[in-house]
Amino acid sequence: MANMALLEIHQLHVVVGEKEILKGVDLRIDEGEVHILFGPNGSGKSTLLKTIMGLPKYKVTLGDISFRSKSIKELPPDERARLGIALAFQNPPALPVKLRDIAVRVARKFRSDIKLLDELSLNGLMPRPLHKGFSGGETKRAELALSLLQKPRLLMLDEPDSGVDVDSLKLVARAVNSLIDSGVSVLLVTHTGHITRLLSKVSLAHVIVDGVIVYDGDVEEILSSLEKFGYSAFRRR
Amino acid sequence: MGELSYKPSKTLATYMRVDENQVKLLIHEHLKRLGVVVMEIGEALEKHPIARKYAWRLIAPSHDEYVKRAAEKEVGAFIYVPPGVKPRLPIQTCFFVSKENVEQAVHNVVVIGEGAEIVLNTACAAAAGESLHVGVTEMYVGRGAKLTYAMVHGWTQLFDTRPRTVVEVEEGGSLVMNYINLRPVRTLEAMPRVVLKENSSAYLSTILLALGDSHLDVGTVVELAGKGAKAEVISRTVARDRSHSIMRGLLRALAPGVKGHLECVGLQLSPKAKIEAIPALDAAVGDVELTHEAAVGRIAEEELEYLMARGFNEQEAVSLIVRGFVETGIEHLPPTVKRQVRVILDTLAEKAVM
């Protein structure tokens, strides 16, 4: 049986303000696949995730994004979320709303069980305003928690391994693995690649440089090139 | 009355006044045995020496034209809790205007004896039409006593209302006051005054939803009159449509060693909604600590977009942020009141985007 494409991105160009950040990105993620996106700072990794999520600041000037064979380019973020796309933000804003209040409402909206969050040890964070004064690890766990409650078909994680303590990273990896094992597709952005070796499966890895995906290949191969040469190895291509 | 409907079964005493003259009074036997008194003020001034002793002590009948009207009519509730008495359930008062052209001007006197503790819930509402409500409320909190006072208002767009509340807290006493305005009103002008004696404390929160063409001018004056008195005054306004809100606050330090913090924060949901925040501090003596904080702003786009990415539409996202914004001071309320206030704030957050 041929794999079903879940997400298809074709020649995507995106501007933020006046500046073009994505300059023709192609990407296909099938059902159940786990993709890692590597890239140096400012290469367009986060922009790609936020554009897929539909945040209004990220304007598509050319190209298309389809989810389950339908273009979602014109849909607002809440409709994309309801289709099954979730984003764990790298730097989410602090909100004046308690994590518990948001979690309860997200769970109600997506008919999920708040008990899903038990393994992320969030109890101490629940009564606090979301992301206000949260540590790096707390932010990542809370972001993943809310994403889990959305019962996503495509989970996007924006640098879940940056600024995180080892314990939080393990908790995050474990929760992501249980989603991967249940067949959820993942698009994970990382600068360092720390988390990739904790994942139960990686289908394909990509490197984005200056708004273009310059390399697709095996995650270990990319990691060892990065360890030896850094991103300059990919810049030369 | 929806969110303002009262449940007598959950209270120990209820005083309800509809329009000018209809009064309904329920008081549980248990409370009577404890010596708690809930009665009409006119009757109390004839029969009860404590009512006579305290009435018009904190505010003069000639204070302004509205207080004068209440003084002429002399109707309202007298509530007395004897020293040391701590009823478990709240006493409730309710003032309702059911029709047009009513002038409901009431005078309430609340006296809490030494070491007593009481929760007082007040709901004031109007069904429709052009009317006036004046509420002069004098509250005396005895030495070491505790009063929790939760008040909710729900008026109509043609309504004018003039609460005139004055509270005196004796040595070591404490006051928690939570005021919520939920509906449009033509004009609401209130400047409650709280006098704090030695080592007494007050936590006062005011949460206003300004809708339609409402004109709200609401503030709190706290006189830190005794050594070691402490006050925290929090005011939150959610403003929409063409409403105009003025959040005032004044902390006056009159004795050494007092502490006070005043916070006025406004959230504008419509570009034409006007909010003024006017916090003021006045230290007449040395060795005091007075601080204030004021801010007025809109919801950040980034916060809305974040919540939309979590599956909420724009209206739901705004409502959720409003709900978080007004969640203030809840931890100071006893559990029964806390639950009620939470429900009211849920309603407020829904109305804010309706």
Side-chain angles (χ1 to χ4, degrees):
Chain A
M1 194 181 88
N3 282 340
M4 278 277 292
L6 183 67
L7 179 80
E8 280 176 294
I9 293 175
H10 180 65
Q11 275 303 303
L12 190 69
H13 290 251
V14 171
V15 297
V16 177
E18 300 285 299
K19 197 172 175 211
E20 185 169 62
I21 308 288
L22 299 185
K23 301 166 181 170
V25 169
D26 290 295
L27 180 69
R28 171 181 163 144
I29 298 177
D30 287 355
E31 297 269 12
E33 282 186 347
V34 177
H35 289 236
I36 309 294
L37 180 62
F38 289 95
N41 289 330
S43 57
K45 305 187 294 292
S46 291
T47 296
L48 179 60
L49 299 194
K50 288 172 173 170
T51 306
I52 297 170
M53 198 67 244
L55 299 185
K57 211 171 90 184
Y58 302 83
K59 299 211 167 23
V60 176
T61 51
L62 264 178
D64 198 9
I65 308 172
S66 319
F67 190 70
R68 301 174 74 200
S69 311
K70 283 194 184 120
S71 174
I72 56 167
K73 208 170 71 174
E74 305 298 332
L75 297 182
D78 53 317
E79 286 182 34
R80 299 188 198 199
R82 284 198 292 274
L83 287 177
I85 302 175
L87 170 60
F89 285 66
Q90 185 192 1
N91 296 309
L95 294 178
V97 190
K98 289 175 190 161
L99 171 57
R100 182 189 289 113
D101 292 344
I102 296 183
V104 165
R105 283 169 172 85
V106 172
R108 205 183 292 153
K109 195 167 264 296
F110 290 90
R111 298 199 177 84
S112 53
D113 190 344
I114 198 131
K115 289 205 183 79
L116 278 176
L117 308 188
D118 287 354
E119 60 178 294
L120 284 164
S121 53
L122 292 165
N123 284 343
L125 296 178
M126 282 297 196
R128 289 173 49 190
L130 183 60
H131 299 314
K132 202 168 181 182
F134 281 25
S135 71
E138 288 170 340
T139 295
K140 305 295 175 192
R141 279 187 281 138
E143 278 302 290
L144 183 62
L146 293 171
S147 304
L148 289 181
L149 291 176
Q150 290 175 231
K151 294 199 292 193
R153 302 176 69 99
L154 173 66
L155 172 64
M156 300 189 289
L157 299 144
D158 197 351
E159 301 211 16
D161 49 1
S162 70
V164 182
D165 55 287
V166 180
D167 290 338
S168 284
L169 188 62
K170 282 185 180 158
L171 279 175
V172 166
R174 202 163 66 200
V176 172
N177 283 336
S178 71
L179 278 184
I180 291 174
D181 297 345
S182 71
V184 171
S185 301
V186 171
L187 174 55
L188 186 151
V189 156
T190 179
H191 177 73
T192 59
H194 286 148
I195 195 172
T196 56
R197 284 171 177 150
L198 299 172
L199 296 178
S200 57
K201 146 181 165 186
V202 174
S203 314
L204 194 59
H206 316 269
V207 180
I208 184 169
V209 175
D210 192 23
V212 181
I213 290 180
V214 295
Y215 189 84
D216 306 305
D218 178 72
V219 66
E220 281 304 324
E221 183 195 331
I222 292 174
L223 271 177
S224 68
S225 299
L226 283 178
E227 278 158 9
K228 284 187 206 134
F229 311 111
Y231 280 103
S232 58
F234 297 96
R235 272 197 193 100
R236 281 199 297 271
R237 290 178 66 92
Chain B
M1 316 205 277
E3 70 282 355
L4 298 169
S5 63
Y6 82 110
K7 299 184 184 82
S9 58
K10 294 254 176 80
T11 61
L12 279 175
T14 298
Y15 172 99
M16 184 172 184
R17 173 173 288 274
V18 178
D19 300 329
E20 286 162 80
N21 295 313
Q22 291 176 53
V23 175
K24 192 170 163 188
L25 216 161
L26 299 166
I27 176 160
H28 200 284
E29 278 305 316
H30 173 68
L31 270 195
K32 285 188 191 165
R33 279 197 299 274
L34 292 172
V36 174
V37 176
V38 180
M39 79 169 51
E40 186 53 42
I41 184 76
E43 188 189 347
L45 288 173
E46 282 172 25
K47 294 182 182 167
H48 215 293
I50 290 176
R52 275 198 299 278
K53 180 178 166 193
Y54 286 95
W56 302 114
R57 223 187 68 184
L58 281 177
I59 189 166
S62 59
H63 179 82
D64 63 21
E65 57 164 317
Y66 299 103
V67 178
K68 265 184 213 162
R69 293 185 206 192
E72 278 161 21
K73 295 186 178 176
E74 204 60 274
V75 296
F78 169 67
I79 296 169
Y80 171 64
V81 183
V85 170
K86 299 176 181 178
R88 204 170 43 84
L89 288 171
I91 292 178
Q92 174 150 314
T93 61
C94 181
F95 298 90
F96 183 58
V97 176
S98 71
K99 54 189 190 215
E100 282 187 311
N101 298 318
V102 171
E103 184 182 300
Q104 189 186 58
V106 300
H107 175 214
N108 308 306
V109 176
V110 179
V111 181
I112 317 289
E114 184 171 339
E117 276 182 24
I118 188 75
V119 175
L120 181 60
N121 288 342
T122 297
C124 301
E130 193 165 356
S131 287
L132 170 72
H133 169 88
V134 174
V136 178
T137 303
E138 297 179 78
M139 303 202 275
Y140 299 87
V141 181
R143 283 164 66 103
K146 181 170 183 184
L147 169 64
T148 302
Y149 183 45
M151 180 160 51
V152 185
H153 277 183
W155 308 107
T156 66
Q157 188 62 72
L158 294 174
F159 212 91
D160 298 299
T161 184
R162 300 288 181 273
R164 297 288 183 262
T165 303
V166 194
V167 191
E168 186 179 73
V169 186
E170 293 292 341
E171 188 181 338
S174 84
L175 168 71
V176 175
M177 215 155 100
N178 182 278
Y179 170 58
I180 301 171
N181 181 61
L182 265 189
R183 293 216 199 133
V185 59
R186 185 162 57 197
T187 63
L188 163 61
E189 287 172 15
M191 193 76 174
R193 186 166 71 93
V194 175
V195 181
L196 296 175
K197 301 284 183 66
E198 206 170 303
N199 294 319
S200 64
S201 66
Y203 182 90
L204 313 166
S205 54
T206 300
I207 296 156
L208 305 173
L209 177 61
L211 297 173
D213 294 298
S214 296
H215 186 286
L216 310 180
D217 187 343
V218 180
T220 311
V221 178
V222 179
E223 293 175 11
L224 297 144
K227 211 171 147 182
K230 272 186 234 154
E232 199 175 340
V233 182
I234 309 289
S235 181
R236 296 272 160 101
T237 297
V238 179
R240 226 187 65 181
D241 309 322
R242 298 153 308 278
S243 62
H244 180 190
S245 313
I246 307 173
M247 285 184 280
R248 295 179 200 272
L250 169 60
L251 294 180
R252 192 171 267 158
L254 303 170
V258 301
K259 254 189 189 176
H261 178 68
L262 176 60
E263 193 182 304
C264 303
V265 187
L267 187 63
Q268 282 170 303
L269 299 186
S270 319
K272 287 190 174 158
K274 189 174 169 186
I275 302 180
E276 295 172 63
I278 313 175
L281 306 176
D282 174 2
V285 292
D287 186 29
V288 300
E289 197 182 311
L290 299 182
T291 53
H292 78 68
E293 195 181 320
V296 176
R298 296 182 352 172
I299 295 175
E301 286 296 322
E302 202 195 3
E303 295 176 17
L304 286 183
E305 289 168 8
Y306 174 82
L307 287 172
M308 289 179 76
R310 293 267 164 250
F312 299 97
N313 65 34
E314 193 173 344
Q315 201 179 28
E316 291 167 334
V318 171
S319 179
L320 197 49
I321 289 171
V322 168
R323 182 63 187 83
F325 176 74
V326 295
E327 175 92 9
T328 180
I330 304 284
E331 67 280 5
H332 293 269
L333 299 169
T336 48
V337 184
K338 206 184 277 182
R339 271 195 296 276
Q340 282 175 9
V341 167
R342 283 220 168 98
V343 172
I344 293 166
L345 294 178
D346 288 344
T347 306
L348 185 149
E350 282 164 24
K351 281 178 180 290
V353 294
M354 249 169 15

